Amino acid sequence: MITHQIEGLSGQSRILIGESLNNLNQYLPRTKVVVITDSNVAQYHRALFPSAELIELGSGEEMKSLGAVRGIYSRLVELETDRSSFIVGIGGGVVCDVTGFIAATYMRGLRFGFAATTLLAQVDASVGGKNGINFRRYKNIIGTFKQPEFVICDATLLTTLPEREVLCGAAEIVKHALIRDPELMSYLETNYEKLMQIEPEVISHVVSVSVAIKSAVVNQDEHEHGLRRILNFGHTFGHGLEKIRRLSHGEAVAAGMMIAARISMKKGILGQAAVQRIEGLLKKLKLPTQVPVNRSELMNALKRDKKRQEEGVHFVLLSGIGKTVVEKISFDDLEALADGIV
Ligand code: GLY
């Protein structure tokens, strides 16, 4: 097992790569435990936490809403959950986001941990302490910073994931390579097929390297005043695309990363060979590299993104594989830069 540690202002988090969900009980205090999960996990893994109270979420982004959260608060009251209770989120990105938000706000905060059951949750959503829900058309606009005490990343849970779900996580792994790690990029170029086939050794390596990269960034800038912005690479246009097209988060981020890479080339800081390499890897991973879309429609969607600051965004560019440059760019300039690309 490999352990990564986040030392946040909002708490300490241990991310346990290769730990088994079967050992969950070892990490739980001897108090009331409430498990928040999805129907899939509840169906297959209920026996692992026989004495815990269970709150089952429906699926999809609609769960990240005030309405859904209100229902969970009600259940917590009914279950007489108090400040000595412990909450565990077992599931994918939505379960982790909602559980973290609930645990950070109910009674001003309860102890909590995660078992991440999708690749996306293991490499991204369960790590970092940001817990957000959506409001109106804004993604993650209401939220908290609070670190889960532990995150269990059990690779055996990923073997039954549908391919689209695997690729969703793969996009965030590629992002980590592009912003911080040329070696991971080469590794993915060699091992992409094994990644798609969920080969345990490859999965364990890419999850571990991704978590190491994300933890190191979060350890330096938990509250996203500077460095942490690089984790948003590909997400400015990605979130815009996600709003206006039926794309998974990973597909939208992949296309968003290509737009950001092409903009970086247009600005003269990234060479064509690097752009072609990124495109080649994303294509191998069956992720989209271009989504036909109307530029003004996309610009309107991304202006509504929560990262809007005054009239622009801190846009993450690449100056090489593993090297980023963050620039404050106005929406007008971004639209002009996207001309010929989107
Ligand atoms: N929980 C996801 C993040 O902090 O980025």
Side-chain angles (χ1 to χ4, degrees):
M1 179 167 73
I2 302 166
T3 304
H4 295 286
Q5 186 108 350
I6 292 181
E7 304 281 344
L9 295 169
S10 62
Q12 220 179 39
S13 186
R14 273 186 310 154
I15 300 119
L16 311 157
I17 321 277
E19 180 54 295
S20 167
L21 182 61
N22 295 335
N23 295 332
L24 175 65
N25 278 324
Q26 290 177 14
Y27 299 93
L28 300 176
R30 290 182 193 287
T31 53
K32 180 200 276 291
V33 173
V34 179
V35 172
I36 300 180
T37 190
D38 57 40
S39 48
N40 212 23
V41 174
Q43 188 180 345
Y44 293 108
H45 303 292
R46 180 66 175 112
L48 293 175
F49 32 88
S51 57
E53 304 286 0
L54 194 76
I55 299 179
E56 206 176 300
L57 297 187
S59 58
E61 280 284 302
E62 305 81 68
M63 290 300 109
K64 290 179 57 172
S65 65
L66 283 176
V69 162
R70 187 189 161 95
I72 300 169
Y73 289 143
S74 294
R75 284 286 294 137
L76 291 175
V77 172
E78 283 160 19
L79 294 170
E80 298 180 359
T81 312
D82 65 24
R83 294 190 96 165
S84 67
S85 308
F86 194 94
I87 300 190
V88 191
I90 308 179
V94 170
V95 167
C96 291
D97 278 354
V98 172
T99 302
F101 180 75
I102 292 276
T105 50
Y106 183 78
M107 300 190 93
R108 296 191 188 83
L110 303 187
R111 296 174 62 195
F112 73 108
F114 294 142
T117 60
T118 63
L119 187 59
L120 178 70
Q122 295 194 359
V123 298
D124 192 26
S126 66
V127 180
K130 285 207 290 192
N131 311 298
I133 59 166
N134 307 330
F135 182 60
R136 295 172 62 158
R137 285 184 302 184
Y138 297 90
K139 209 169 153 61
N140 298 331
I141 197 171
I142 302 176
T144 57
F145 284 99
K146 188 164 162 63
Q147 299 294 339
E149 287 185 17
F150 62 80
V151 181
I152 291 177
C153 296
D154 179 346
T156 65
L157 300 176
L158 308 182
T159 51
T160 50
L161 286 183
E163 185 178 76
R164 197 166 180 215
E165 189 60 62
V166 175
L167 300 183
C168 199
E172 293 288 352
I173 297 168
V174 173
K175 180 197 79 180
H176 289 134
L178 295 181
I179 61 173
R180 274 313 230 202
D181 194 341
E183 261 179 46
L184 178 59
M185 178 78 183
S186 307
Y187 183 88
L188 291 168
E189 286 170 327
T190 310
N191 293 289
Y192 68 94
E193 277 171 319
K194 293 179 183 163
L195 168 59
M196 291 199 285
Q197 287 154 7
I198 319 280
E199 204 183 88
E201 207 178 296
V202 172
I203 288 291
S204 154
H205 180 74
V206 296
V207 171
S208 180
V209 175
S210 279
V211 171
I213 291 168
K214 186 160 183 185
S215 308
V217 170
V218 173
N219 273 328
Q220 288 179 63
D221 177 27
E222 186 184 19
H223 287 183
E224 201 171 319
H225 298 306
L227 179 69
R228 189 170 177 161
R229 290 187 184 121
I230 67 171
L231 297 173
N232 295 329
F233 175 64
H235 284 62
T236 301
F237 282 100
H239 279 166
L241 288 168
E242 213 176 339
K243 279 191 189 131
I244 60 175
R245 290 288 178 273
R246 284 183 174 277
L247 296 172
S248 73
H249 180 68
E251 289 163 346
V253 166
M257 290 194 292
M258 275 318 300
I259 297 173
R262 291 187 181 115
I263 287 179
S264 305
M265 185 168 89
K266 196 171 191 181
K267 285 177 76 71
I269 60 169
L270 186 68
Q272 190 172 14
V275 177
Q276 283 169 347
R277 248 186 104 183
I278 300 166
E279 187 168 10
L281 177 59
L282 293 174
K283 281 188 170 156
K284 282 176 180 163
L285 288 165
K286 298 195 205 163
L287 286 163
T289 54
Q290 188 106 46
V291 176
V293 73
N294 176 286
R295 195 165 66 251
S296 336
E297 189 191 2
L298 179 58
M299 288 309 298
N300 285 336
L302 69 89
K303 280 179 197 166
R304 294 196 309 261
D305 192 72
K306 74 175 164 60
K307 289 172 194 75
R308 178 182 179 170
Q309 289 182 357
E310 292 147 23
E311 285 307 305
V313 281
H314 285 101
F315 193 74
V316 187
L317 300 153
L318 289 187
S319 59
I321 304 291
K323 291 192 201 137
T324 52
V325 174
V326 181
E327 251 184 48
K328 183 91 186 273
I329 303 183
S330 71
F331 286 118
D332 287 346
D333 289 349
L334 204 53
E335 185 158 8
L337 282 164
D339 188 13
I341 293 173
V342 176

